Amino acid sequence: MNDCIFCKIIAGEIPSRKKYEDDEIVIFEDIEPKAKIHLLCVPKDHFAYLTELDERRSALLGKTFSKIASFAPSFGLEKGYRLIVNQGDDAGQTVKHLHIHMMGGQELPF
Ligand code: 5GP
Ligand code: ZN
């Protein structure tokens, strides 16, 4: 068992406020929100970087973005939202399990 915090959330070993889950992704609230609505969309497959994409993971990410677009309005993001994928140390990536920040619920000041 690895000690990845998002794998532990996916496995239900660490609690989270889940908004959506299926067999491929989970969407839950960020524990330290940086916007009025701040969700994390996490593919269940453990990998950290876009450089690790193969054909299967590329297809998974394509579906993930499509799901984000479908579900965003039901999360209160109907007026728009920002997606962020931090990659590596200069970006401040703290969790080395690829995730997509979904931020909105307000006019973003940055
Ligand atoms: P990163 O900087 O790696 O792109 O973003 C990691 C995000 O995960 C941060 O915004 C941080 O607040 C969030 N986070 C870290 N640990 C936990 C946790 O245990 N639960 C939840 N819900 N979010 C977390
Ligand atoms: Zn992981």
Side-chain angles (χ1 to χ4, degrees):
M1 184 66 208
N2 71 42
D3 54 359
C4 169
I5 205 159
F6 286 175
C7 281
K8 286 183 176 163
I9 285 175
I10 288 161
E13 291 165 14
I14 292 177
S16 68
R17 293 164 70 112
K18 281 187 188 146
K19 308 283 283 183
Y20 174 79
E21 180 168 19
D22 62 24
D23 54 340
E24 293 178 316
I25 65 164
V26 61
I27 299 176
F28 53 87
E29 293 178 2
D30 195 293
I31 204 166
E32 281 182 50
K34 284 106 191 157
K36 201 163 174 195
I37 297 174
H38 186 173
L39 307 175
L40 298 171
C41 178
V42 184
K44 290 186 172 179
D45 186 14
H46 176 93
F47 64 102
Y49 304 112
L50 294 169
T51 49
E52 297 171 80
L53 288 182
D54 54 16
E55 205 172 315
R56 184 183 56 79
R57 285 177 176 159
S58 297
L60 168 65
L61 269 198
K63 276 198 276 177
T64 299
F65 278 105
S66 174
K67 287 172 190 175
I68 286 172
S70 303
F71 302 140
S74 67
F75 298 146
L77 297 170
E78 63 282 346
K79 289 177 75 182
Y81 53 92
R82 182 169 296 155
L83 303 180
I84 296 175
V85 182
N86 289 323
Q87 290 285 278
D89 293 338
D90 277 3
Q93 183 182 8
T94 56
V95 179
K96 304 299 196 264
H97 180 136
L98 192 122
H99 53 281
I100 302 158
H101 294 260
M102 303 171 62
M103 302 168 84
Q106 64 176 99
E107 213 174 294
L108 295 167
F110 47 88

